[in-house]
């Protein structure tokens, strides 16, 4: 089993505030399960994450559907559909318990983005990392090796779950074309 994770954040560095986590578990045959949580921006900042103003400005230029998913992160009291960063990381960590040794990789879109930000957030909060370091995988690297296989997006671009789903389905198609590596 593999997991594709996608984050929406208010920064691009390892200390970026997470505002949503989307993930899908999948194998070579397709998507098996999904995970999605909005994270209170206040909770992320309280954990020591640092907002990047240029990322905030970037979000203001995104379409209304993408921004609408973020409305639940603007609460101040971890209500309104958003959860504390610690509780979301602990919930996400349960996937490791579910898959145990059958987990073969945790894929992020960039060697220095999704997985690294989750790992740094876990470190700051003292939450166990949801996977072993040797399970880190970089979707961006693999997709650059197969530029002729186009990704078909579904759902809202910059919605963490929709992006994770689109990326996993793209990786499954790459896997088929490559003769299998998943």
């Amino acid at each position: 089993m593999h997991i594709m994770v996608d984050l929406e954040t208010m920064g691009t560095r390892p200390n970026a505030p997470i505002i949503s986590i989307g993930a899908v578990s999948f194998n070579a045959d397709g998507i098996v399960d999904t995970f999605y949580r909005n994270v209170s921006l206040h909770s992320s900042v309280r954990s020591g994450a640092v907002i990047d103003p240029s990322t905030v400005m970037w979000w203001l230029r995104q379409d209304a559907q993408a921004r609408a998913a973020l409305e639940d992160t603007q609460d101040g009291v971890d209500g309104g559909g958003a959860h504390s960063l610690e509780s979301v990381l602990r919930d996400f960590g349960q996937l490791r318990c579910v898959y145990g040794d059958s987990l073969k990789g945790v894929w992020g879109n960039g060697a220095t983005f999704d997985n690294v930000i989750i790992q740094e957030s876990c470190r700051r909060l003292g939450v166990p990392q949801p996977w072993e370091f040797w399970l880190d995988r970089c979707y961006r690297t693999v997709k650059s090796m197969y530029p002729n296989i186009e990704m078909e997006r579904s759902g809202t671009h910059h919605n963490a779950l929709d992006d994770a789903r689109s990326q996993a389905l793209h990786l499954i198609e790459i896997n088929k074309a490559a003769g299998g590596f998943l």
Side-chain angles (χ1 to χ4, degrees), residues 3 9 36 38 42 60 67-68 79-80 84 110 112-113 125 127 134 139 143-144 148 150 152 155 159 179 182:
I3 295 171
T9 67
Y36 179 77
N38 278 335
H42 290 85
L60 293 174
R67 289 191 326 268
S84 74
T112 62
F113 195 74
L125 288 165
V127 173
W134 59 81
Y139 162 70
K143 76 178 179 178
S144 73
N148 58 319
E150 292 187 33
E152 294 182 27
N159 170 284
L182 292 176

Side-chain angles (χ1 to χ4, degrees), residues 85-103:
L85 178 59
E86 182 175 354
S87 70
V88 171
L89 291 172
R90 289 189 187 284
D91 288 350
F92 184 67
Q94 292 303 307
L95 294 175
R96 180 68 168 119
C97 297
V98 170
Y99 296 116
D101 291 338
S102 70
L103 183 59

Side-chain angles (χ1 to χ4, degrees), residues 14-151:
N15 63 351
I18 297 172
I19 53 176
S20 65
I21 298 178
V24 297
S25 55
F26 67 100
N27 57 32
D29 298 320
I31 293 174
V32 175
D33 203 0
T34 63
F35 175 92
Y36 179 77
R37 298 281 191 291
N38 278 335
V39 177
S40 159
L41 178 58
H42 290 85
S43 172
S44 283
V45 172
R46 281 193 310 266
S47 79
V50 179
I51 294 173
D52 173 24
S54 63
T55 303
V56 173
M57 297 308 296
W58 177 87
W59 272 110
L60 293 174
R61 292 188 303 272
Q62 301 312 303
D63 72 29
Q65 282 184 303
R67 289 191 326 268
L70 305 180
E71 289 177 11
D72 281 345
T73 68
Q74 303 172 20
D75 54 67
V77 196
D78 299 334
H83 306 273
S84 74
L85 178 59
E86 182 175 354
S87 70
V88 171
L89 291 172
R90 289 189 187 284
D91 288 350
F92 184 67
Q94 292 303 307
L95 294 175
R96 180 68 168 119
C97 297
V98 170
Y99 296 116
D101 291 338
S102 70
L103 183 59
K104 303 299 181 206
V106 178
W107 298 80
N109 194 8
T112 62
F113 195 74
D114 302 286
N115 295 14
V116 171
I117 293 171
I118 289 174
Q119 291 164 352
E120 175 60 17
S121 296
C122 286
R123 186 198 62 74
R124 279 194 323 268
L125 288 165
V127 173
Q129 184 175 310
W131 63 89
E132 304 298 339
F133 70 90
W134 59 81
L135 295 174
D136 277 325
R137 303 287 185 268
C138 181
Y139 162 70
R140 183 173 292 154
T141 299
V142 174
K143 76 178 179 178
S144 73
M145 296 166 63
Y146 295 89
N148 58 319
I149 302 173
E150 292 187 33
M151 177 171 51

